Amino acid sequence: MARARTSEWLESWDPESESWDSRMAWKTLWVTTFCLTLAFATWFLPSAFIPQLNSLGYDFTTAQLYWMAAMPGLSGGLLRILWTFLPPIMGTRRMVTYSTLLMIFATIGWGVRVQAPTAPYWELMVLAFLAGIGGGVFSGFMPSTSYFFPRRKQGLALGLQAGFGNFGVSLVQMLTPLLIGVGFLGFLGSSQTWTSGDEVREVWYQNAAFIWLPLLVVGAILAWTMLKSVPVKANFKQQLDIFRNQDTWWQTILYIMTFGTFSGLSAQFGLLMQDLYGRMNPEIYDLATNTVLVEGFDLRNPINFVFLGPLVGAGSRIIFAQLTDRMGGAIWTLVAGIGIGASIVFTMTGLTPDVTSAATLDAGFNRFLFGMLAIFFFTGIGNASTFKQMPMIFERRQAGGVIGWTAAIGAFGPFLFGIGITTIGPVGFYAVGVAWAVLCVVITWVRYARPGAPKPG
């Protein structure tokens, strides 16, 4: 049993022993998971706002909007590299508390600047970058939680934490359309006029940002008063030994396929839908005259759909976490790779809208939507299975570092997807996704899943 050396640091901690304090471990899991859910909500707050900025009076180009939506992914990936090395240095308590407080800055910024279409582009890009703090903390929270659990339970524990954390994406995208329609937080700012074609509405977009502020404060208080820190000590230089292990790089490639796809699609889903089946497609909608060019077709408003993808992905991550503990992670990573590749191929049939009629557009949209949801589903499986594999492949301290590192690279998903879709187009970029999935299936089979594999797990 661990004994407290100070109010923060445990004197010793061995989750593999019979005296493992499961109560402390689960308390740590739920407190950090609450804060991680808020972190994902902060990270993806811009994704709920950006597709609507022009309807609020801004006049940004499609490329500018894609770049803005990509910025939290860039900062999230860069900051995850930093947070990867913090758990052994700062400890769980201080890292979770301070990280949660840092997220307040971006949340306030978006709540203030969304109220009037006067913010310059560079300022919104800075706010999008700051939102990436919510993505960066993942690479500190997950490894520090893994220290508290025995290997036999790490698939379930990390799957629950990451899965419920991922729900923060759906929460912010699902609650935003509900919160902006009421003035109960109107005393925190003035209302805005939202315009799309002939539809004009009074909205309070600041509500969707300010609602998270008291929860962030509560999360920081819970972290400071309830968490302890495990004495897993290593300086920055000592932690670099993970890069001499080839499995660090194989797992990084696999996690780009799983979480990179999940985060990338979560950030770009709304803009892509707007671009293909909404008011940003000039073959469907004439901005100059505010008219739909295809008779009988109802423009798709992303605000009604975008939360579904992250919801499906987070749900499958939680459901399959326990199965990875029972069956091992490698087999499910293989299933995820095959499923992602097949789902991308199916989705590609909906990336070129047929504007012949409303019926053909509706059919194309359905293929696009259900294909995207299938991709999200299989990314959730892969996110759970890879996080089961890493603690089995690496020793405890290294496993924490590899989890943080792979998560850091996977967090570049929103940035890579935004740049890829902008430069080579949706069809070309999705074709790259198919090739990547095939590569990952081969790696998983040869290295981890086949009979007699070098690193089964």
Side-chain angles (χ1 to χ4, degrees), residues 303-337:
I303 206 169
N304 298 321
F305 299 95
V306 292
F307 73 92
L308 291 173
L311 183 67
V312 169
S316 64
R317 186 169 194 166
I318 293 173
I319 292 170
F320 282 86
Q322 194 162 358
L323 290 177
T324 64
D325 274 340
R326 294 177 182 176
M327 302 173 62
I331 184 63
W332 287 111
T333 302
L334 190 69
V335 170

PDB file of all heavy atoms in Angstrom, residues 303-337:
ATOM      1  N   ILE A 303     -24.313  21.956 -38.199  1.00  0.00           N
ATOM      2  CA  ILE A 303     -24.562  22.038 -36.770  1.00  0.00           C
ATOM      3  C   ILE A 303     -25.485  20.926 -36.283  1.00  0.00           C
ATOM      4  O   ILE A 303     -25.492  20.562 -35.109  1.00  0.00           O
ATOM      5  CB  ILE A 303     -25.138  23.435 -36.426  1.00  0.00           C
ATOM      6  CG1 ILE A 303     -24.818  23.814 -34.986  1.00  0.00           C
ATOM      7  CG2 ILE A 303     -26.631  23.493 -36.682  1.00  0.00           C
ATOM      8  CD1 ILE A 303     -25.117  25.253 -34.654  1.00  0.00           C
ATOM      9  N   ASN A 304     -26.255  20.352 -37.215  1.00  0.00           N
ATOM     10  CA  ASN A 304     -27.196  19.284 -36.851  1.00  0.00           C
ATOM     11  C   ASN A 304     -26.569  17.893 -36.905  1.00  0.00           C
ATOM     12  O   ASN A 304     -27.208  16.923 -36.479  1.00  0.00           O
ATOM     13  CB  ASN A 304     -28.409  19.326 -37.794  1.00  0.00           C
ATOM     14  CG  ASN A 304     -29.186  20.621 -37.703  1.00  0.00           C
ATOM     15  OD1 ASN A 304     -29.357  21.171 -36.618  1.00  0.00           O
ATOM     16  ND2 ASN A 304     -29.642  21.125 -38.840  1.00  0.00           N
ATOM     17  N   PHE A 305     -25.360  17.773 -37.427  1.00  0.00           N
ATOM     18  CA  PHE A 305     -24.787  16.454 -37.668  1.00  0.00           C
ATOM     19  C   PHE A 305     -23.405  16.230 -37.066  1.00  0.00           C
ATOM     20  O   PHE A 305     -23.044  15.087 -36.761  1.00  0.00           O
ATOM     21  CB  PHE A 305     -24.683  16.198 -39.190  1.00  0.00           C
ATOM     22  CG  PHE A 305     -25.983  16.213 -39.916  1.00  0.00           C
ATOM     23  CD1 PHE A 305     -26.436  17.371 -40.550  1.00  0.00           C
ATOM     24  CD2 PHE A 305     -26.769  15.069 -39.996  1.00  0.00           C
ATOM     25  CE1 PHE A 305     -27.629  17.392 -41.236  1.00  0.00           C
ATOM     26  CE2 PHE A 305     -27.971  15.075 -40.682  1.00  0.00           C
ATOM     27  CZ  PHE A 305     -28.406  16.240 -41.306  1.00  0.00           C
ATOM     28  N   VAL A 306     -22.605  17.288 -36.909  1.00  0.00           N
ATOM     29  CA  VAL A 306     -21.179  17.085 -36.637  1.00  0.00           C
ATOM     30  C   VAL A 306     -20.904  16.378 -35.320  1.00  0.00           C
ATOM     31  O   VAL A 306     -19.872  15.698 -35.182  1.00  0.00           O
ATOM     32  CB  VAL A 306     -20.413  18.422 -36.684  1.00  0.00           C
ATOM     33  CG1 VAL A 306     -20.384  18.967 -38.092  1.00  0.00           C
ATOM     34  CG2 VAL A 306     -21.018  19.438 -35.717  1.00  0.00           C
ATOM     35  N   PHE A 307     -21.798  16.493 -34.334  1.00  0.00           N
ATOM     36  CA  PHE A 307     -21.546  15.846 -33.051  1.00  0.00           C
ATOM     37  C   PHE A 307     -21.650  14.327 -33.137  1.00  0.00           C
ATOM     38  O   PHE A 307     -21.129  13.611 -32.270  1.00  0.00           O
ATOM     39  CB  PHE A 307     -22.528  16.376 -31.994  1.00  0.00           C
ATOM     40  CG  PHE A 307     -23.938  15.880 -32.160  1.00  0.00           C
ATOM     41  CD1 PHE A 307     -24.357  14.730 -31.513  1.00  0.00           C
ATOM     42  CD2 PHE A 307     -24.835  16.555 -32.978  1.00  0.00           C
ATOM     43  CE1 PHE A 307     -25.657  14.270 -31.664  1.00  0.00           C
ATOM     44  CE2 PHE A 307     -26.126  16.100 -33.134  1.00  0.00           C
ATOM     45  CZ  PHE A 307     -26.544  14.948 -32.477  1.00  0.00           C
ATOM     46  N   LEU A 308     -22.313  13.814 -34.169  1.00  0.00           N
ATOM     47  CA  LEU A 308     -22.548  12.373 -34.263  1.00  0.00           C
ATOM     48  C   LEU A 308     -21.246  11.588 -34.438  1.00  0.00           C
ATOM     49  O   LEU A 308     -21.075  10.518 -33.843  1.00  0.00           O
ATOM     50  CB  LEU A 308     -23.490  12.074 -35.437  1.00  0.00           C
ATOM     51  CG  LEU A 308     -24.938  12.535 -35.289  1.00  0.00           C
ATOM     52  CD1 LEU A 308     -25.685  12.329 -36.605  1.00  0.00           C
ATOM     53  CD2 LEU A 308     -25.622  11.789 -34.151  1.00  0.00           C
ATOM     54  N   GLY A 309     -20.336  12.109 -35.256  1.00  0.00           N
ATOM     55  CA  GLY A 309     -19.097  11.384 -35.511  1.00  0.00           C
ATOM     56  C   GLY A 309     -18.264  11.181 -34.252  1.00  0.00           C
ATOM     57  O   GLY A 309     -17.940  10.036 -33.896  1.00  0.00           O
ATOM     58  N   PRO A 310     -17.901  12.249 -33.538  1.00  0.00           N
ATOM     59  CA  PRO A 310     -17.160  12.066 -32.293  1.00  0.00           C
ATOM     60  C   PRO A 310     -17.907  11.235 -31.261  1.00  0.00           C
ATOM     61  O   PRO A 310     -17.294  10.499 -30.486  1.00  0.00           O
ATOM     62  CB  PRO A 310     -16.955  13.504 -31.796  1.00  0.00           C
ATOM     63  CG  PRO A 310     -17.038  14.344 -33.032  1.00  0.00           C
ATOM     64  CD  PRO A 310     -18.034  13.670 -33.919  1.00  0.00           C
ATOM     65  N   LEU A 311     -19.240  11.337 -31.255  1.00  0.00           N
ATOM     66  CA  LEU A 311     -20.041  10.539 -30.321  1.00  0.00           C
ATOM     67  C   LEU A 311     -19.873   9.055 -30.611  1.00  0.00           C
ATOM     68  O   LEU A 311     -19.654   8.249 -29.698  1.00  0.00           O
ATOM     69  CB  LEU A 311     -21.509  10.939 -30.437  1.00  0.00           C
ATOM     70  CG  LEU A 311     -22.485  10.250 -29.470  1.00  0.00           C
ATOM     71  CD1 LEU A 311     -22.204  10.679 -28.038  1.00  0.00           C
ATOM     72  CD2 LEU A 311     -23.928  10.576 -29.860  1.00  0.00           C
ATOM     73  N   VAL A 312     -19.938   8.675 -31.878  1.00  0.00           N
ATOM     74  CA  VAL A 312     -19.771   7.271 -32.268  1.00  0.00           C
ATOM     75  C   VAL A 312     -18.351   6.799 -31.957  1.00  0.00           C
ATOM     76  O   VAL A 312     -18.144   5.701 -31.415  1.00  0.00           O
ATOM     77  CB  VAL A 312     -20.086   7.098 -33.766  1.00  0.00           C
ATOM     78  CG1 VAL A 312     -19.663   5.712 -34.259  1.00  0.00           C
ATOM     79  CG2 VAL A 312     -21.578   7.305 -34.019  1.00  0.00           C
ATOM     80  N   GLY A 313     -17.357   7.618 -32.290  1.00  0.00           N
ATOM     81  CA  GLY A 313     -15.970   7.234 -32.049  1.00  0.00           C
ATOM     82  C   GLY A 313     -15.645   7.082 -30.577  1.00  0.00           C
ATOM     83  O   GLY A 313     -14.957   6.131 -30.170  1.00  0.00           O
ATOM     84  N   ALA A 314     -16.128   8.007 -29.756  1.00  0.00           N
ATOM     85  CA  ALA A 314     -15.887   7.914 -28.311  1.00  0.00           C
ATOM     86  C   ALA A 314     -16.612   6.709 -27.729  1.00  0.00           C
ATOM     87  O   ALA A 314     -16.071   5.998 -26.868  1.00  0.00           O
ATOM     88  CB  ALA A 314     -16.343   9.198 -27.627  1.00  0.00           C
ATOM     89  N   GLY A 315     -17.826   6.455 -28.197  1.00  0.00           N
ATOM     90  CA  GLY A 315     -18.593   5.316 -27.691  1.00  0.00           C
ATOM     91  C   GLY A 315     -17.933   3.986 -28.007  1.00  0.00           C
ATOM     92  O   GLY A 315     -17.837   3.098 -27.145  1.00  0.00           O
ATOM     93  N   SER A 316     -17.462   3.824 -29.232  1.00  0.00           N
ATOM     94  CA  SER A 316     -16.815   2.554 -29.592  1.00  0.00           C
ATOM     95  C   SER A 316     -15.502   2.381 -28.840  1.00  0.00           C
ATOM     96  O   SER A 316     -15.107   1.248 -28.513  1.00  0.00           O
ATOM     97  CB  SER A 316     -16.591   2.475 -31.109  1.00  0.00           C
ATOM     98  OG  SER A 316     -15.698   3.480 -31.567  1.00  0.00           O
ATOM     99  N   ARG A 317     -14.822   3.463 -28.542  1.00  0.00           N
ATOM    100  CA  ARG A 317     -13.582   3.370 -27.762  1.00  0.00           C
ATOM    101  C   ARG A 317     -13.867   2.808 -26.365  1.00  0.00           C
ATOM    102  O   ARG A 317     -13.125   1.973 -25.853  1.00  0.00           O
ATOM    103  CB  ARG A 317     -12.906   4.731 -27.660  1.00  0.00           C
ATOM    104  CG  ARG A 317     -11.540   4.697 -26.984  1.00  0.00           C
ATOM    105  CD  ARG A 317     -10.796   6.009 -27.157  1.00  0.00           C
ATOM    106  NE  ARG A 317      -9.384   5.863 -26.813  1.00  0.00           N
ATOM    107  CZ  ARG A 317      -8.448   6.747 -27.110  1.00  0.00           C
ATOM    108  NH1 ARG A 317      -8.768   7.841 -27.782  1.00  0.00           N
ATOM    109  NH2 ARG A 317      -7.189   6.539 -26.761  1.00  0.00           N
ATOM    110  N   ILE A 318     -14.926   3.263 -25.750  1.00  0.00           N
ATOM    111  CA  ILE A 318     -15.293   2.781 -24.413  1.00  0.00           C
ATOM    112  C   ILE A 318     -15.749   1.329 -24.471  1.00  0.00           C
ATOM    113  O   ILE A 318     -15.328   0.486 -23.661  1.00  0.00           O
ATOM    114  CB  ILE A 318     -16.403   3.668 -23.823  1.00  0.00           C
ATOM    115  CG1 ILE A 318     -15.864   5.073 -23.545  1.00  0.00           C
ATOM    116  CG2 ILE A 318     -16.969   3.050 -22.552  1.00  0.00           C
ATOM    117  CD1 ILE A 318     -16.923   6.064 -23.126  1.00  0.00           C
ATOM    118  N   ILE A 319     -16.602   0.997 -25.425  1.00  0.00           N
ATOM    119  CA  ILE A 319     -17.170  -0.355 -25.517  1.00  0.00           C
ATOM    120  C   ILE A 319     -16.086  -1.397 -25.752  1.00  0.00           C
ATOM    121  O   ILE A 319     -16.096  -2.479 -25.147  1.00  0.00           O
ATOM    122  CB  ILE A 319     -18.230  -0.406 -26.635  1.00  0.00           C
ATOM    123  CG1 ILE A 319     -19.451   0.443 -26.238  1.00  0.00           C
ATOM    124  CG2 ILE A 319     -18.651  -1.847 -26.920  1.00  0.00           C
ATOM    125  CD1 ILE A 319     -20.434   0.656 -27.370  1.00  0.00           C
ATOM    126  N   PHE A 320     -15.137  -1.084 -26.630  1.00  0.00           N
ATOM    127  CA  PHE A 320     -14.136  -2.078 -27.002  1.00  0.00           C
ATOM    128  C   PHE A 320     -12.926  -2.090 -26.069  1.00  0.00           C
ATOM    129  O   PHE A 320     -12.075  -2.976 -26.186  1.00  0.00           O
ATOM    130  CB  PHE A 320     -13.692  -1.852 -28.447  1.00  0.00           C
ATOM    131  CG  PHE A 320     -14.676  -2.364 -29.453  1.00  0.00           C
ATOM    132  CD1 PHE A 320     -15.732  -1.574 -29.865  1.00  0.00           C
ATOM    133  CD2 PHE A 320     -14.579  -3.646 -29.970  1.00  0.00           C
ATOM    134  CE1 PHE A 320     -16.663  -2.031 -30.783  1.00  0.00           C
ATOM    135  CE2 PHE A 320     -15.496  -4.116 -30.888  1.00  0.00           C
ATOM    136  CZ  PHE A 320     -16.548  -3.313 -31.294  1.00  0.00           C
ATOM    137  N   ALA A 321     -12.850  -1.135 -25.126  1.00  0.00           N
ATOM    138  CA  ALA A 321     -11.714  -1.110 -24.205  1.00  0.00           C
ATOM    139  C   ALA A 321     -11.630  -2.392 -23.394  1.00  0.00           C
ATOM    140  O   ALA A 321     -10.554  -2.979 -23.221  1.00  0.00           O
ATOM    141  CB  ALA A 321     -11.823   0.104 -23.282  1.00  0.00           C
ATOM    142  N   GLN A 322     -12.781  -2.867 -22.884  1.00  0.00           N
ATOM    143  CA  GLN A 322     -12.771  -4.076 -22.074  1.00  0.00           C
ATOM    144  C   GLN A 322     -12.479  -5.308 -22.918  1.00  0.00           C
ATOM    145  O   GLN A 322     -11.838  -6.252 -22.452  1.00  0.00           O
ATOM    146  CB  GLN A 322     -14.102  -4.228 -21.344  1.00  0.00           C
ATOM    147  CG  GLN A 322     -14.063  -5.250 -20.227  1.00  0.00           C
ATOM    148  CD  GLN A 322     -15.201  -5.087 -19.251  1.00  0.00           C
ATOM    149  OE1 GLN A 322     -16.020  -4.183 -19.371  1.00  0.00           O
ATOM    150  NE2 GLN A 322     -15.255  -5.964 -18.259  1.00  0.00           N
ATOM    151  N   LEU A 323     -12.916  -5.305 -24.170  1.00  0.00           N
ATOM    152  CA  LEU A 323     -12.621  -6.440 -25.053  1.00  0.00           C
ATOM    153  C   LEU A 323     -11.129  -6.538 -25.342  1.00  0.00           C
ATOM    154  O   LEU A 323     -10.595  -7.639 -25.506  1.00  0.00           O
ATOM    155  CB  LEU A 323     -13.399  -6.293 -26.362  1.00  0.00           C
ATOM    156  CG  LEU A 323     -14.918  -6.491 -26.271  1.00  0.00           C
ATOM    157  CD1 LEU A 323     -15.565  -6.237 -27.627  1.00  0.00           C
ATOM    158  CD2 LEU A 323     -15.257  -7.892 -25.778  1.00  0.00           C
ATOM    159  N   THR A 324     -10.441  -5.408 -25.398  1.00  0.00           N
ATOM    160  CA  THR A 324      -8.997  -5.460 -25.636  1.00  0.00           C
ATOM    161  C   THR A 324      -8.273  -6.065 -24.434  1.00  0.00           C
ATOM    162  O   THR A 324      -7.239  -6.722 -24.602  1.00  0.00           O
ATOM    163  CB  THR A 324      -8.427  -4.055 -25.928  1.00  0.00           C
ATOM    164  OG1 THR A 324      -8.583  -3.217 -24.780  1.00  0.00           O
ATOM    165  CG2 THR A 324      -9.124  -3.430 -27.121  1.00  0.00           C
ATOM    166  N   ASP A 325      -8.798  -5.854 -23.211  1.00  0.00           N
ATOM    167  CA  ASP A 325      -8.208  -6.499 -22.043  1.00  0.00           C
ATOM    168  C   ASP A 325      -8.367  -8.014 -22.114  1.00  0.00           C
ATOM    169  O   ASP A 325      -7.493  -8.772 -21.692  1.00  0.00           O
ATOM    170  CB  ASP A 325      -8.857  -5.973 -20.757  1.00  0.00           C
ATOM    171  CG  ASP A 325      -8.197  -4.697 -20.245  1.00  0.00           C
ATOM    172  OD1 ASP A 325      -7.046  -4.435 -20.633  1.00  0.00           O
ATOM    173  OD2 ASP A 325      -8.833  -3.966 -19.468  1.00  0.00           O
ATOM    174  N   ARG A 326      -9.484  -8.471 -22.661  1.00  0.00           N
ATOM    175  CA  ARG A 326      -9.764  -9.912 -22.714  1.00  0.00           C
ATOM    176  C   ARG A 326      -9.044 -10.602 -23.874  1.00  0.00           C
ATOM    177  O   ARG A 326      -8.561 -11.725 -23.731  1.00  0.00           O
ATOM    178  CB  ARG A 326     -11.275 -10.141 -22.869  1.00  0.00           C
ATOM    179  CG  ARG A 326     -12.104  -9.699 -21.682  1.00  0.00           C
ATOM    180  CD  ARG A 326     -13.585  -9.902 -21.969  1.00  0.00           C
ATOM    181  NE  ARG A 326     -14.427  -9.446 -20.868  1.00  0.00           N
ATOM    182  CZ  ARG A 326     -15.754  -9.445 -20.899  1.00  0.00           C
ATOM    183  NH1 ARG A 326     -16.397  -9.870 -21.988  1.00  0.00           N
ATOM    184  NH2 ARG A 326     -16.444  -9.021 -19.868  1.00  0.00           N
ATOM    185  N   MET A 327      -8.977  -9.928 -25.016  1.00  0.00           N
ATOM    186  CA  MET A 327      -8.496 -10.582 -26.232  1.00  0.00           C
ATOM    187  C   MET A 327      -7.149 -10.060 -26.713  1.00  0.00           C
ATOM    188  O   MET A 327      -6.583 -10.608 -27.658  1.00  0.00           O
ATOM    189  CB  MET A 327      -9.536 -10.410 -27.351  1.00  0.00           C
ATOM    190  CG  MET A 327     -10.912 -10.965 -27.002  1.00  0.00           C
ATOM    191  SD  MET A 327     -12.163 -10.564 -28.253  1.00  0.00           S
ATOM    192  CE  MET A 327     -11.483 -11.401 -29.690  1.00  0.00           C
ATOM    193  N   GLY A 328      -6.645  -9.003 -26.084  1.00  0.00           N
ATOM    194  CA  GLY A 328      -5.419  -8.383 -26.558  1.00  0.00           C
ATOM    195  C   GLY A 328      -5.719  -7.263 -27.535  1.00  0.00           C
ATOM    196  O   GLY A 328      -6.775  -7.241 -28.191  1.00  0.00           O
ATOM    197  N   GLY A 329      -4.787  -6.328 -27.660  1.00  0.00           N
ATOM    198  CA  GLY A 329      -5.031  -5.171 -28.509  1.00  0.00           C
ATOM    199  C   GLY A 329      -4.740  -5.395 -29.974  1.00  0.00           C
ATOM    200  O   GLY A 329      -5.379  -4.790 -30.843  1.00  0.00           O
ATOM    201  N   ALA A 330      -3.790  -6.280 -30.289  1.00  0.00           N
ATOM    202  CA  ALA A 330      -3.328  -6.417 -31.672  1.00  0.00           C
ATOM    203  C   ALA A 330      -4.444  -6.822 -32.623  1.00  0.00           C
ATOM    204  O   ALA A 330      -4.568  -6.274 -33.728  1.00  0.00           O
ATOM    205  CB  ALA A 330      -2.178  -7.423 -31.737  1.00  0.00           C
ATOM    206  N   ILE A 331      -5.257  -7.791 -32.218  1.00  0.00           N
ATOM    207  CA  ILE A 331      -6.313  -8.278 -33.116  1.00  0.00           C
ATOM    208  C   ILE A 331      -7.319  -7.178 -33.420  1.00  0.00           C
ATOM    209  O   ILE A 331      -7.816  -7.057 -34.548  1.00  0.00           O
ATOM    210  CB  ILE A 331      -7.014  -9.516 -32.510  1.00  0.00           C
ATOM    211  CG1 ILE A 331      -8.036 -10.079 -33.487  1.00  0.00           C
ATOM    212  CG2 ILE A 331      -7.666  -9.184 -31.175  1.00  0.00           C
ATOM    213  CD1 ILE A 331      -7.440 -10.584 -34.783  1.00  0.00           C
ATOM    214  N   TRP A 332      -7.594  -6.336 -32.420  1.00  0.00           N
ATOM    215  CA  TRP A 332      -8.564  -5.257 -32.634  1.00  0.00           C
ATOM    216  C   TRP A 332      -7.957  -4.104 -33.431  1.00  0.00           C
ATOM    217  O   TRP A 332      -8.676  -3.407 -34.166  1.00  0.00           O
ATOM    218  CB  TRP A 332      -9.119  -4.765 -31.297  1.00  0.00           C
ATOM    219  CG  TRP A 332     -10.059  -5.761 -30.691  1.00  0.00           C
ATOM    220  CD1 TRP A 332      -9.857  -6.514 -29.571  1.00  0.00           C
ATOM    221  CD2 TRP A 332     -11.345  -6.145 -31.197  1.00  0.00           C
ATOM    222  NE1 TRP A 332     -10.931  -7.341 -29.341  1.00  0.00           N
ATOM    223  CE2 TRP A 332     -11.852  -7.131 -30.329  1.00  0.00           C
ATOM    224  CE3 TRP A 332     -12.101  -5.766 -32.302  1.00  0.00           C
ATOM    225  CZ2 TRP A 332     -13.098  -7.730 -30.523  1.00  0.00           C
ATOM    226  CZ3 TRP A 332     -13.342  -6.363 -32.502  1.00  0.00           C
ATOM    227  CH2 TRP A 332     -13.839  -7.328 -31.627  1.00  0.00           C
ATOM    228  N   THR A 333      -6.654  -3.886 -33.322  1.00  0.00           N
ATOM    229  CA  THR A 333      -6.002  -2.907 -34.185  1.00  0.00           C
ATOM    230  C   THR A 333      -6.080  -3.359 -35.637  1.00  0.00           C
ATOM    231  O   THR A 333      -6.282  -2.540 -36.547  1.00  0.00           O
ATOM    232  CB  THR A 333      -4.532  -2.708 -33.775  1.00  0.00           C
ATOM    233  OG1 THR A 333      -4.474  -2.280 -32.411  1.00  0.00           O
ATOM    234  CG2 THR A 333      -3.857  -1.658 -34.651  1.00  0.00           C
ATOM    235  N   LEU A 334      -5.945  -4.657 -35.852  1.00  0.00           N
ATOM    236  CA  LEU A 334      -6.082  -5.202 -37.203  1.00  0.00           C
ATOM    237  C   LEU A 334      -7.490  -4.983 -37.738  1.00  0.00           C
ATOM    238  O   LEU A 334      -7.678  -4.545 -38.888  1.00  0.00           O
ATOM    239  CB  LEU A 334      -5.748  -6.697 -37.182  1.00  0.00           C
ATOM    240  CG  LEU A 334      -5.618  -7.387 -38.541  1.00  0.00           C
ATOM    241  CD1 LEU A 334      -4.385  -6.898 -39.285  1.00  0.00           C
ATOM    242  CD2 LEU A 334      -5.553  -8.906 -38.354  1.00  0.00           C
ATOM    243  N   VAL A 335      -8.490  -5.271 -36.906  1.00  0.00           N
ATOM    244  CA  VAL A 335      -9.889  -5.044 -37.308  1.00  0.00           C
ATOM    245  C   VAL A 335     -10.117  -3.566 -37.611  1.00  0.00           C
ATOM    246  O   VAL A 335     -10.784  -3.207 -38.600  1.00  0.00           O
ATOM    247  CB  VAL A 335     -10.846  -5.517 -36.192  1.00  0.00           C
ATOM    248  CG1 VAL A 335     -12.286  -5.063 -36.473  1.00  0.00           C
ATOM    249  CG2 VAL A 335     -10.793  -7.042 -36.055  1.00  0.00           C
ATOM    250  N   ALA A 336      -9.570  -2.695 -36.770  1.00  0.00           N
ATOM    251  CA  ALA A 336      -9.745  -1.254 -36.967  1.00  0.00           C
ATOM    252  C   ALA A 336      -9.146  -0.804 -38.294  1.00  0.00           C
ATOM    253  O   ALA A 336      -9.767  -0.026 -39.038  1.00  0.00           O
ATOM    254  CB  ALA A 336      -9.102  -0.484 -35.815  1.00  0.00           C
ATOM    255  N   GLY A 337      -7.954  -1.277 -38.616  1.00  0.00           N
ATOM    256  CA  GLY A 337      -7.315  -0.883 -39.873  1.00  0.00           C
ATOM    257  C   GLY A 337      -8.118  -1.296 -41.086  1.00  0.00           C
ATOM    258  O   GLY A 337      -8.309  -0.513 -42.032  1.00  0.00           O
TER     259      GLY A 337
END
